[in-house]
Amino acid sequence: MDRSVIIVAVALMLGARPVCAQSEGGLLLSAGAEKKVNKQLSVGVEADYRTRNDFKTADRWSIALGGDYKLTKGLKADVGYTLLNSNFREKLTYSSATKGRWRPSYWGVRHRFHASLTANRKLWRDLRVSVRERWQYTYRPSKDVERWKLDPSAHTMELDDDYVRSGKGKNQLRSRLQLSWDKKRALLTPYASAEFYHSWAIEKVRYTVGTDIRLSKQHELTVYYRFQDMHNVDEDDFDPDMHYLGLGYQFKF
């Protein structure tokens, strides 16, 4: 059978699947370093890597730079920049007017800036609650990417040489509520949080449970499970619900 016929058939089958009816598993790995400049100011760097498709496909890697400043005893502000290199998912569209359009997955860069305010206080004994409100802006530059024009009736496909995926900017607010059992000098600091991503409507909710592991004054690990529940997602930014296992390392000096 001709290769183009096979690809057209596969693409049509992909398009026939229910888009939001599945969930996937993934891995989150991170490593960072933080320097305390003085009693109020800290700066840091962090690298991140994640997978999707039930741990089989690389999803993205990122490098972030940031700093936070302690305004009062229970309130701090932070700002940061993140360079993201993401593996954008393939996309298939079909209509009677345009026939089919298939864009394979591809790697592309995004730039993200954020600013946050975090308030925390002790509720009872070692139980702490924190509330964080974060604004973030993410920009995806325009990029020449591969896209194919599909004609199922003629069993043909043609490369769209002039296709450019246009640049796009997006503002979001991220509201997080977190509870933690923060006992001084304890080995473990368990925590649970819920974080809401929203602009005009709730777009994503992250539920996380885990614990920080204090190895020493300078070295700390975190292990966690996260469920990412998607809502009102633009078709262009589609991601399924995700189950993540996470592992992070932090060095403080």
Side-chain angles (χ1 to χ4, degrees), residues 126-152:
D126 298 305
L127 181 63
R128 284 191 171 274
V129 62
S130 72
V131 178
R132 187 186 73 186
E133 192 65 44
R134 169 172 289 182
W135 162 83
Q136 72 176 28
Y137 174 75
T138 307
Y139 179 68
R140 183 193 71 211
S142 62
K143 183 179 176 67
D144 293 323
V145 299
E146 183 180 333
R147 188 175 74 166
W148 294 85
K149 301 176 183 178
L150 311 177
D151 189 343

Side-chain angles (χ1 to χ4, degrees), residues 3 5 14 47 59 66 134 151 164 180 202 211 227 232 242 252:
R3 177 175 175 271
V5 177
L14 286 171
D59 185 45
R134 169 172 289 182
D151 189 343
V164 177
S180 62
I202 298 294
T211 184
F227 176 62
N232 303 305
M242 293 292 300
K252 298 180 180 181

Side-chain angles (χ1 to χ4, degrees), residues 108-243:
V109 167
R110 290 180 294 163
H111 304 277
R112 177 171 293 168
F113 304 88
H114 78 261
S116 313
L117 279 176
T118 305
N120 77 87
R121 65 173 300 171
K122 185 178 291 188
L123 288 181
W124 173 75
R125 297 183 63 181
D126 298 305
L127 181 63
R128 284 191 171 274
V129 62
S130 72
V131 178
R132 187 186 73 186
E133 192 65 44
R134 169 172 289 182
W135 162 83
Q136 72 176 28
Y137 174 75
T138 307
Y139 179 68
R140 183 193 71 211
S142 62
K143 183 179 176 67
D144 293 323
V145 299
E146 183 180 333
R147 188 175 74 166
W148 294 85
K149 301 176 183 178
L150 311 177
D151 189 343
S153 60
H155 302 290
T156 61
M157 62 185 299
E158 178 186 356
L159 185 63
D160 188 350
D161 292 321
D162 299 326
Y163 178 66
V164 177
R165 194 178 189 200
S166 59
K168 180 181 179 181
K170 185 173 185 177
N171 287 285
Q172 278 185 310
L173 288 176
R174 296 170 54 176
S175 305
R176 189 190 72 184
L177 175 66
Q178 179 168 294
L179 293 173
S180 62
W181 189 259
D182 189 10
K183 188 174 183 179
K184 193 172 183 180
R185 290 188 291 274
L187 173 65
L188 302 179
T189 303
Y191 61 88
S193 68
E195 184 173 19
F196 301 85
Y197 287 62
H198 50 100
S199 48
W200 298 109
I202 298 294
E203 298 176 343
K204 178 166 54 179
V205 185
R206 284 180 171 175
Y207 303 97
T208 305
V209 291
T211 184
D212 293 332
I213 305 171
R214 186 177 183 270
L215 303 178
S216 69
K217 187 176 180 179
Q218 292 182 306
H219 304 277
E220 184 176 271
L221 292 176
T222 182
V223 292
Y224 57 93
Y225 162 76
R226 173 175 293 161
F227 176 62
Q228 184 167 281
D229 188 17
M230 305 301 291
H231 299 266
N232 303 305
V233 182
D234 190 297
E235 183 182 351
D236 194 45
D237 299 318
F238 165 71
D239 273 312
D241 294 342
M242 293 292 300
H243 300 272

Side-chain angles (χ1 to χ4, degrees), residues 34-167:
E34 183 181 77
K35 170 65 175 177
K36 192 164 187 175
V37 180
N38 54 42
K39 290 183 178 181
Q40 284 77 38
L41 178 64
S42 297
V43 294
V45 60
E46 184 175 65
D48 175 280
Y49 174 77
R50 66 177 58 178
T51 66
R52 63 171 189 251
N53 189 26
D54 297 333
F55 308 97
K56 296 189 290 289
T57 303
D59 185 45
R60 85 176 198 197
W61 61 261
S62 65
I63 298 177
L65 302 171
D68 63 72
Y69 188 83
K70 186 177 180 180
L71 300 172
T72 63
K73 184 179 179 180
L75 182 67
K76 71 175 182 178
D78 69 88
V79 295
Y81 163 76
T82 306
L83 173 68
L84 306 109
N85 192 28
S86 300
N87 185 4
F88 291 100
R89 294 173 183 265
E90 67 177 349
K91 182 181 179 183
L92 177 73
T93 57
Y94 181 80
S95 69
S96 57
T98 63
K99 302 294 178 66
R101 295 290 186 271
W102 175 49
R103 188 197 71 213
S105 61
Y106 74 95
W107 286 89
V109 167
R110 290 180 294 163
H111 304 277
R112 177 171 293 168
F113 304 88
H114 78 261
S116 313
L117 279 176
T118 305
N120 77 87
R121 65 173 300 171
K122 185 178 291 188
L123 288 181
W124 173 75
R125 297 183 63 181
D126 298 305
L127 181 63
R128 284 191 171 274
V129 62
S130 72
V131 178
R132 187 186 73 186
E133 192 65 44
R134 169 172 289 182
W135 162 83
Q136 72 176 28
Y137 174 75
T138 307
Y139 179 68
R140 183 193 71 211
S142 62
K143 183 179 176 67
D144 293 323
V145 299
E146 183 180 333
R147 188 175 74 166
W148 294 85
K149 301 176 183 178
L150 311 177
D151 189 343
S153 60
H155 302 290
T156 61
M157 62 185 299
E158 178 186 356
L159 185 63
D160 188 350
D161 292 321
D162 299 326
Y163 178 66
V164 177
R165 194 178 189 200
S166 59

